Amino acid sequence: MITISYKDSTNEVLLNYYHENGFNKTIAVAKSMYNINLKKAKKNFKTDVNGEVCETVLEIGILEFMKRYPKACKEWVLKKGLIVKDIDDPNNGFLTEIDLVLATPQMIYLFECKSYTGKKVLTNECTITTPSRSFNVYKQNFLHAKTFLAQFTPYRCNKDSEVFPIQLALFSLAKGEIVDSRSDKNKALMPLVEIESLFAFLAKNVQTSSKKVPTLWKMPYVKKALDIISNKSDANREKHLNYVKDLHGKKK
């Protein structure tokens, strides 16, 4: 028996709407979903749905970019919700989830999606602070990058290039203003990306006739590796959830 969670349903509904009605209408509908009153909903329901809307909008934005520039994006690979293990000790129970991975010959992007409501301020490398919480996004995603790079290093090329082959990014979609108070160095370390700036962000590493960008990844191998991890991610999702719960329990 196959069951579909409300997160999966949210993703499916928005993707279907995008394919039928186009990019602009879908983004407008997705943003309007943040205005729905869900005070009587079960605990974490609104948070989970808002998070899924955020991730799906990023997915749709990338799909739209690939649709508009098919020649430049012909080798791009997009994967959502990858569960990655520690390659040095795969049996130690460590699992980490990457919200969205975009692999291109010129760069692999690891996106962290946040949908915090209210006013938000970014400080330090990438700490996001609201009136009710503060979270070090960079610390979490540096771990993602370290774990990911350990597995994908064999598929790198042009290793002498000065360009680092992985780019971390924070994608934000939510009600309320977000203020980026970081230094230029930290903004480059983990850029803030919103749906309005996504296309310009992706275009930076797209090679054109007038702009040469080094190829850093052997895409046939990267694609195969991503497919293998993606196929195992569903089976590892519950293990990852239990790992996180256990980790939080030990911190109390």
Side-chain angles (χ1 to χ4, degrees):
M1 179 174 144
I2 298 175
T3 59
I4 300 177
S5 71
Y6 54 80
K7 291 183 67 176
D8 292 333
S9 299
T10 301
N11 178 262
E12 183 179 345
V13 167
L14 283 174
L15 283 173
N16 287 341
Y17 190 88
Y18 164 64
H19 292 306
E20 294 174 4
N21 298 280
F23 177 71
N24 291 328
K25 287 185 177 180
T26 305
I27 301 307
V29 167
K31 287 183 175 181
S32 72
M33 293 174 71
Y34 285 99
N35 296 318
I36 298 174
N37 189 335
L38 294 174
K39 288 183 178 179
K40 295 183 180 180
K42 291 182 179 180
K43 183 180 179 181
N44 296 330
F45 179 84
K46 183 173 176 60
T47 300
D48 289 346
V49 169
N50 285 353
E52 186 59 39
V53 170
C54 180
E55 292 178 19
T56 304
V57 164
L58 173 58
E59 181 181 6
I60 289 170
I62 294 171
L63 290 174
E64 180 67 16
F65 187 90
M66 294 168 68
K67 179 181 176 181
R68 295 185 186 186
Y69 307 102
K71 185 176 180 180
C73 305
K74 63 181 180 180
E75 292 187 273
W76 287 22
V77 179
L78 172 63
K79 295 291 183 182
K80 187 170 171 287
L82 288 188
I83 307 292
V84 184
K85 290 185 176 183
D86 182 351
I87 191 173
D88 294 324
D89 187 3
N91 297 317
N92 67 0
F94 171 81
L95 294 165
T96 188
E97 181 172 13
I98 305 173
D99 288 342
L100 191 143
V101 176
L102 173 63
T104 81
Q106 293 78 29
M107 184 64 65
I108 289 181
Y109 301 90
L110 306 183
F111 286 96
E112 178 70 17
C113 298
K114 295 298 179 188
S115 56
Y116 296 163
T117 58
K119 183 176 181 179
K120 300 161 284 288
V121 180
L122 296 181
T123 55
N124 304 320
E125 288 95 344
C126 192
T127 296
I128 185 168
T129 301
T130 74
S132 61
R133 73 178 85 182
S134 184
F135 184 75
N136 190 332
V137 183
Y138 176 75
K139 182 179 179 181
Q140 178 189 27
N141 284 267
F142 177 79
L143 182 60
H144 290 170
K146 182 180 178 181
T147 306
F148 189 92
L149 187 59
Q151 297 197 34
F152 281 77
T153 291
Y155 315 132
R156 289 179 60 185
C157 54
N158 290 328
K159 295 182 181 180
D160 294 333
S161 172
E162 295 181 358
V163 179
F164 192 69
I166 290 179
Q167 175 67 68
L168 301 179
L170 167 64
F171 183 78
S172 176
L173 181 79
K175 292 175 64 178
E177 178 187 15
I178 185 164
V179 178
D180 195 343
S181 299
R182 298 174 295 163
S183 65
D184 290 341
K185 178 182 177 181
N186 285 334
K187 287 179 180 179
L189 186 66
M190 189 169 188
L192 167 65
V193 182
E194 299 177 273
I195 192 61
E196 293 79 9
S197 61
L198 176 63
F199 289 2
F201 174 72
L202 295 176
K204 290 179 181 179
N205 286 306
V206 172
Q207 185 160 294
T208 66
S209 57
S210 59
K211 182 178 69 174
K212 300 299 181 183
V213 183
T215 297
L216 302 177
W217 293 99
K218 303 172 184 176
M219 287 307 295
Y221 298 102
V222 170
K223 183 180 184 306
K224 286 181 180 179
L226 286 173
D227 284 343
I228 291 171
I229 295 173
S230 180
N231 289 337
K232 293 182 178 180
S233 288
D234 286 341
N236 286 327
R237 203 163 307 281
E238 186 174 351
K239 293 179 183 178
H240 171 255
L241 182 61
N242 291 334
Y243 172 80
V244 172
K245 287 180 178 178
D246 183 57
L247 193 65
H248 288 176
K250 290 178 181 178
K251 290 180 180 179
K252 291 181 180 180

